[in-house]
């Protein structure tokens, strides 16, 4: 029996069929959450003291390829699907991990320890502000994302204060908060994948 293959190429999206085009694409959300969760888990394990600071460079591969590139791809597909929140969130945090990779791999050799800590502190402060206003937006989406962005906000805040004050225990606290954030993001990814299967449901506690 011969197998027939549909070789027709779908037309690119236009202003008239963009919604239909986006509906045919798998949900990129679980990929973005999984990429964010794994990279956050590893770096938070260092910040929490589960791993020595000397292994921090191991995260660079994750930050570049999974937390960075894969998450940016997820954000681009969210644009196609018409999901503004997902597009902004995944593209931004993908860019965060790409910038983190660059920051660690290209630290200025002439920077003093105080200057480096202050620079990283303000870098993290900017991400704290961004995450806080994205948290406000999650209040209209679901409880899982509220949890992810809520814990991520306080994670960034703790890491910011740890860098600016030099108090190691605050950074350690940020590490533990980051581990909770990663766990919630992994759950959100699991729910997205499982709920895409027939008859499978995991609660995400929708708000609207």
């Amino acid at each position: 029996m011969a197998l027939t293959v549909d070789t027709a190429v779908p037309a690119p999206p236009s202003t008239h069929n963009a919604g239909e085009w986006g509906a045919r694409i798998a949900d990129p959300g679980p990929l973005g959450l999984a990429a964010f969760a794994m990279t956050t888990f590893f770096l938070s394990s260092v910040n929490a003291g589960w791993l020595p600071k000397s292994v921090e460079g191991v995260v660079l591969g994750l930050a570049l390829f999974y937390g960075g590139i894969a998450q940016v791809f997820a954000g681009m597909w969210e644009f196609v699907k018409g999901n503004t929140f997902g597009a902004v969130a995944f593209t931004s945090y993908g860019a965060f991990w790409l910038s983190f990779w660059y920051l660690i791999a290209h630290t200025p050799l002439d920077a003093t320890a105080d200057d480096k800590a202050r620079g990283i502190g303000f870098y993290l402060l900017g991400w704290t502000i961004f995450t806080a206003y994205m948290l406000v937006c999650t209040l209209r989406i679901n409880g899982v994302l509220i949890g992810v962005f809520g814990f991520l906000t306080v994670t960034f805040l703790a890491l910011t204060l740890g860098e600016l004050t030099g108090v190691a225990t605050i950074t350690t606290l940020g590490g533990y908060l980051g581990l909770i954030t990663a766990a919630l993001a992994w759950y959100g990814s699991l729910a997205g994948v499982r709920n895409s299967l027939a008859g499978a449901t995991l609660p995400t506690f929708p708000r609207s």
Side-chain angles (χ1 to χ4, degrees), residues 28 74-93 130 133-134 137-138 141 145 149:
M76 295 300 102
W77 285 116
E78 292 284 19
F79 274 115
V80 176
K81 291 185 71 68
N83 182 356
T84 301
F85 177 88
V88 173
F90 290 136
T91 306
S92 296
Y93 290 113
F130 171 75
Y133 77 68
M134 292 297 282
C137 298
T138 65
I141 305 175
L145 288 181
F149 280 81

Side-chain angles (χ1 to χ4, degrees), residues 81-161:
K81 291 185 71 68
N83 182 356
T84 301
F85 177 88
V88 173
F90 290 136
T91 306
S92 296
Y93 290 113
F96 164 78
W97 284 114
L98 290 171
S99 66
F100 177 83
W101 164 79
Y102 188 89
L103 180 68
I104 298 300
H106 302 83
T107 301
L109 297 177
D110 58 347
T112 66
D114 287 344
D115 287 344
K116 181 180 176 182
R118 185 175 176 83
I120 293 175
F122 273 79
Y123 166 82
L124 292 171
L125 177 60
W127 285 104
T128 303
I129 295 169
F130 171 75
T131 305
Y133 77 68
M134 292 297 282
L135 169 61
V136 174
C137 298
T138 65
L139 300 179
R140 299 291 302 273
I141 305 175
N142 63 55
V144 172
L145 288 181
I146 292 172
V148 170
F149 280 81
F151 275 98
L152 184 57
T153 299
V154 292
T155 296
F156 273 129
L157 179 60
L159 295 177
T160 298
L161 294 175

